[in-house]
Amino acid sequence: MKKWYAVIGDPIAHSLSPFMHDTWFQENGIDASFLPIHVEPSELKEACESLQLLGAGGFNVTLPHKQAIIPFLDGIDEAASEMNAVNTVVRNGKNFKGSNTDGDGFVQSLLTADPRTDDKILLVGAGGAARGIAFALDRAGFSDVTITNRTFRRAEELAEETASESMTKSDAEQNLGGFDIIIQTTSVGLAEDEALPISLENAKTGALAVDIVYNPIDTPFLKKAEEKGCRTLNGVGMFVYQGAIGFEKWTGIKPDTEKMIKVITEKLGGNYVNR
Ligand code: ATR
């Protein structure tokens, strides 16, 4: 029987996951389809039961369902419980198990920029996305991570959980020149006229600025970082790697990530630079 997979979210029309996974199915000769399914929050339980009943092999979960889906699954793995959020669901017989590949996807993308594990890292934000990244950086052996956030208490709490340091936003701005890698994980700064989540005035020339947002590809944060002479890494890599980890969980096959990053970058109107 033909296998099928899905991504559920609200909204869902602009998701690039169906394109990415369908391409990988074709490239690997797998007879399967990947469907975008619009699910409103009030329908989440029924949607999960339907996916189960109709035989989905697995599915991705995107906003706003990443936390709300948890009670409707048969279990979650360690990464998902650390983040209290699920982005990938894998079928095991009759069970659906939730996982979270965002943090490890982020780290795999970061590794393409050749960081050192003793680089001084500033993580900007302490929400769900920052949580996954902080835990994944810790697992990957990055030993010098400082967390800053508008609401300082949240930065302190996350730092405590991940054996990192915390710093107020104003201290981080003043001491920005001491950081080798600055990672922006907040939901601000998407629009041109919005303020940046942190001032980059004191950024060190040659530091690496990373944004987890991939659409737009060239965020105001990355543009400013470039002006300050920083190297930049956009969110396309994280998107592709989080998907690739999920694809391997579903099929046992590692898909071609390098080609996919290139294709998606071009699709989003950016120029692909081979770092
Ligand atoms: P996500 O799961 O996308 O990380 P989230 O858990 O709601 O979403 O977290 C949003 C992050 O963006 C938080 O770090 C938040 O800071 P607060 O903890 O102070 O709310 C940050 N954020 C959102 N709006 C912001 C703003 N206008 N200025 C600075 N940081 C902001």
Side-chain angles (χ1 to χ4, degrees):
M1 198 173 72
K2 181 166 179 150
K3 291 197 166 155
W4 68 280
Y5 300 82
V7 55
I8 61 169
D10 177 23
I12 200 63
H14 298 293
S15 171
L16 286 170
S17 291
F19 166 79
M20 180 163 73
H21 288 286
D22 274 335
T23 304
W24 283 336
F25 287 140
Q26 277 167 24
E27 282 177 4
N28 291 285
I30 297 171
D31 186 22
S33 315
F34 193 99
L35 307 172
I37 303 179
H38 181 210
V39 175
E40 289 181 8
S42 62
E43 306 165 333
L44 186 58
K45 183 167 188 279
E46 287 74 12
C48 204
E49 286 165 359
S50 305
L51 287 157
Q52 174 74 264
L53 190 70
L54 299 175
F59 58 99
N60 282 140
V61 184
T62 188
L63 300 178
H65 305 314
K66 288 184 173 191
Q67 275 188 348
I69 190 91
I70 294 175
F72 308 130
L73 299 173
D74 300 296
I76 57 174
D77 71 6
E78 197 188 338
S81 54
E82 280 168 357
M83 289 180 76
N84 193 28
V86 162
N87 78 335
T88 304
V89 174
V90 180
R91 177 187 281 273
N92 184 1
K94 280 210 172 292
N95 287 344
F96 272 159
K97 186 164 183 193
S99 179
N100 202 311
T101 66
D102 281 334
D104 289 337
F106 173 84
V107 167
Q108 288 190 18
S109 172
L110 181 65
L111 292 178
T112 65
D114 294 327
R116 296 178 0 187
T117 49
D118 62 350
D119 274 343
K120 287 179 81 62
I121 299 180
L122 180 69
L123 190 60
V124 183
R131 279 188 79 77
I133 290 171
F135 279 103
L137 286 171
D138 187 30
R139 271 199 298 278
F142 288 92
S143 56
D144 194 341
V145 177
T146 300
I147 302 171
T148 189
N149 190 47
R150 175 179 64 175
T151 309
F152 182 54
R153 185 183 45 78
R154 296 183 80 194
E156 285 183 305
E157 284 168 6
L158 182 56
E160 217 162 277
E161 280 185 77
T162 53
S164 314
E165 301 294 319
S166 56
M167 214 181 243
T168 62
K169 188 179 147 182
S170 59
D171 280 353
E173 285 175 342
Q174 262 173 27
N175 295 301
L176 204 64
F179 291 98
D180 304 303
I181 301 176
I182 306 162
I183 303 167
Q184 127 62 19
T185 72
T186 77
S187 41
V188 282
L190 284 178
E192 287 291 338
D193 53 353
E194 244 182 332
L196 296 181
I198 190 160
S199 160
L200 290 172
E201 275 322 304
N202 296 327
K204 172 167 83 176
T205 303
L208 176 67
V210 189
D211 202 323
I212 65 166
V213 171
Y214 66 89
N215 196 3
I217 208 159
D218 206 9
T219 62
F221 174 82
L222 293 181
K223 280 187 193 152
K224 185 71 192 178
E226 241 164 59
E227 268 173 49
K228 300 300 296 181
C230 297
R231 295 179 297 138
T232 60
L233 181 65
N234 64 41
V236 174
M238 175 178 177
F239 172 69
V240 170
Y241 285 111
Q242 66 74 32
I245 299 167
F247 188 87
E248 190 176 356
K249 284 179 188 290
W250 293 331
T251 64
I253 292 169
K254 277 187 200 299
D256 185 340
T257 44
E258 178 74 8
K259 189 158 97 193
M260 186 57 67
I261 289 171
K262 187 168 185 278
V263 171
I264 290 188
T265 303
E266 281 162 5
K267 231 176 155 47
L268 292 172
N271 293 319
Y272 176 67
V273 181
N274 195 357
R275 291 177 201 90

